[in-house]
Amino acid sequence: MPDVTHEEWLRRAKGLDVSGAHHVDGADDPGGGAVFTLVSPRDGQALAQVADAGQAEVDLAVAAARRAFDSGPWPRLAPAERGRTLLRLADLLEERREELALTVSLEMGKPITDAYGIELRALIGTFRWYGQLADKLTDESPHTAPDALALVTREPAGVVGAVVPWNFPLTLAGWKVAPALAAGCTVVLKPSENAPLSGLLLGRLATEAGLPPGVLNVVSGNGPVAGRALGLHPDVDVLAFTGSTAVGRHFLRYSADSNLKRVWLELGGKSPNIILPDAPDLEQAAATAAWGIFFNQGEMCTAPSRLLVHSSVADQVTEAVVARARELRVGDPLDPATEMGALVTEAHLARVEDHIATGLGEGARLRAGGGRTLTGTGGSFLEPTVFDRVGPGMRLAREEIFGPVLSVLTFDDLDEAVRLANATEYGLAGAVWTSDLSTAHRVSRALRAGTVWVNCYEEGDLTVPFGGMKQSGNGRDKSAHALEKYTELKTTWIQL
């Protein structure tokens, strides 16, 4: 993190030149004139006028991507050359890291330290990793009879529509765009209408780094119009989406109603974090539980929102989490000392408040937080919130809240812990804290989740895949496995 003061970030924010134009076919495009006002959650003030894509703008972006795929150079470049272009983009993102971090912090409320140190680190690392991987993939030649030669090749799938959310607007865009580009696809990216500016800037920087026109197009607009248009478009071959399970269902319907495009979904979560009495360090387990639910204002699909604690240590762990919640510094996202920023919009804050009110009505005990804070700023700030005495049938324990709200449930034995952990429609992530190796393996195997952490949370790198089971989605981001979403297998059989 650069040594930049709160006052300096405020000064830079006032001078930030943010463009809300689409980026299509290698150039900025204002679209047909429709715009919406983007409001910053840190102070409730207008941040930018952003182009609002309709069907016509999506059609133009998809047409540019189609031309670039069907007749442009990108899919036909040597993989090493595609890789070098992605590496140039990674270098450019590093050069503009502070500007990108500031944009993210302003548009969705993430603390500037996290935007710079985590969001941008992940984005830059993603493009660098796939740039280095691009020329290291191999095809297959299965053993056949002596009179034939069989080849199994991976070919780019075509035009990819990528629809990403606002909570990690650049990280999640990178997880989809970088492997798609490395595979030789062309892309139309639609960032969330709640945080579109960083994605639009990514498109401009990609062109500056040398991507040919039409290879990466970015259109801003709301989901029911622009997202739907991408989902139904007959010239989109693959649709990759991260967001809510409800919207994921829409994209499956769009595919069925159009060209049966492949749809890859990374959806919601209600992740269990199991702490057993033999955890190697109960203080560390409690500190990590608090960090995990309050990081990024709790606006994470993998947030450990269900803390499952053995009854023998429940009081000790819960008290430690409550103490951390009460001391956590909520503040201006542009203040480097801030530990938790603003929720993305007033509407989202109201939805989280509704969950809190329901929890109180259902009989859960509020131990920390529960109300708005920093109300004089005009921003959308909520206190870090902890409930205990949560029953497994309560809404707090069943529904994804997507905010800094922790539900503490207790159990008496390991079988009960696993049953509670799996008692959800979601299957994105989970964790177990134990010193027993056999227990760690048994619980990891028993949890129906795409990622299981042992004695940690939110750890990993680009070498491992990320995605969910059950209603948390399908397919995987990250790792070499992500390329499976953006390639087609072709068999060529040659009779000798």
Side-chain angles (χ1 to χ4, degrees), residues 168-188:
F168 288 90
L170 288 177
T171 298
L172 298 179
W175 283 5
K176 289 169 172 50
V177 171
L181 295 180
C185 295
T186 58
V187 180
V188 178

Side-chain angles (χ1 to χ4, degrees), residues 40-265:
S40 176
R42 64 176 288 270
D43 58 7
Q45 299 299 306
L47 184 59
Q49 296 295 304
V50 183
D52 193 359
Q55 184 70 54
E57 289 78 11
V58 172
D59 286 346
L60 287 172
V62 173
R66 185 84 264 165
R67 287 192 303 273
F69 184 79
D70 289 346
S71 57
W74 187 254
R76 295 156 190 84
L77 287 177
E81 183 57 35
R82 287 202 297 267
R84 283 191 287 271
T85 304
L86 296 184
L87 291 173
R88 286 197 298 272
L89 175 55
D91 291 340
L92 186 55
L93 294 171
E94 186 67 70
E95 291 177 21
R96 304 284 287 274
R97 185 170 179 170
E98 292 184 21
E99 178 186 356
L100 286 158
L102 179 58
T103 303
V104 168
S105 189
L106 287 170
E107 67 183 351
M108 59 76 57
K110 189 191 304 285
I112 189 67
T113 50
D114 292 342
Y116 183 93
I118 297 176
E119 178 101 19
L120 266 297
R121 181 189 66 196
L123 176 71
I124 295 163
T126 298
F127 277 99
R128 198 156 276 151
W129 199 85
Y130 284 104
Q132 294 167 343
L133 181 68
D135 64 343
K136 297 173 180 63
L137 305 173
T138 57
D139 293 324
E140 303 171 31
S141 181
H143 288 185
T144 64
D147 62 347
L149 173 66
L151 303 175
V152 181
T153 54
R154 281 199 175 273
E155 300 183 355
V159 174
V160 173
V163 181
V164 298
W166 44 262
N167 59 327
F168 288 90
L170 288 177
T171 298
L172 298 179
W175 283 5
K176 289 169 172 50
V177 171
L181 295 180
C185 295
T186 58
V187 180
V188 178
L189 170 67
K190 193 204 85 67
S192 167
E193 58 270 33
N194 291 329
L197 298 177
S198 56
L200 292 167
L201 180 52
L202 173 63
R204 297 182 193 103
L205 294 178
T207 296
E208 188 177 334
L211 262 70
V215 173
L216 177 57
N217 311 275
V218 187
V219 292
S220 55
N222 67 75
V225 177
R228 180 176 184 273
L230 268 180
L232 287 168
H233 207 291
D235 273 337
V236 173
D237 301 297
V238 176
L239 195 291
F241 170 72
T242 293
S244 72
T245 299
V247 175
R249 295 179 191 274
H250 285 302
F251 278 110
L252 290 174
R253 295 187 187 102
Y254 299 153
S255 172
D257 291 342
S258 57
N259 60 341
L260 292 178
K261 59 177 64 65
R262 284 188 290 164
V263 176
W264 302 105
L265 303 171

Side-chain angles (χ1 to χ4, degrees), residues 315-375:
D315 288 345
Q316 177 184 348
V317 171
T318 303
E319 289 299 332
V321 173
V322 168
R324 178 59 184 142
R326 290 172 176 166
E327 69 185 16
L328 197 72
R329 178 165 178 170
V330 182
D332 182 359
L334 298 187
D335 185 347
T338 290
E339 295 174 286
M340 196 177 91
L343 275 68
V344 67
T345 63
E346 274 293 306
H348 181 59
L349 173 55
R351 286 192 292 271
V352 175
E353 288 181 306
D354 179 65
H355 280 282
I356 293 171
T358 300
L360 290 169
E362 289 181 328
R365 182 170 66 168
L366 181 65
R367 297 296 309 279
R372 295 190 180 217
T373 186
L374 304 177
T375 54

Side-chain angles (χ1 to χ4, degrees), residues 272-276 414-415 417-419 421-422 427-457 467 469-470 476:
N273 185 19
I274 303 170
I275 298 181
L276 296 170
L414 192 59
D415 289 341
V418 172
R419 285 197 302 271
N422 286 332
L428 190 57
V432 58
W433 295 76
T434 178
S435 294
D436 186 272
L437 183 61
S438 294
T439 299
H441 280 293
R442 285 200 301 269
V443 174
S444 297
R445 291 179 181 182
L447 293 183
R448 293 283 295 158
T451 299
V452 178
W453 291 286
V454 177
N455 297 332
C456 61
Y457 208 92
M469 300 180 181
K470 299 193 286 187
R476 295 296 182 263

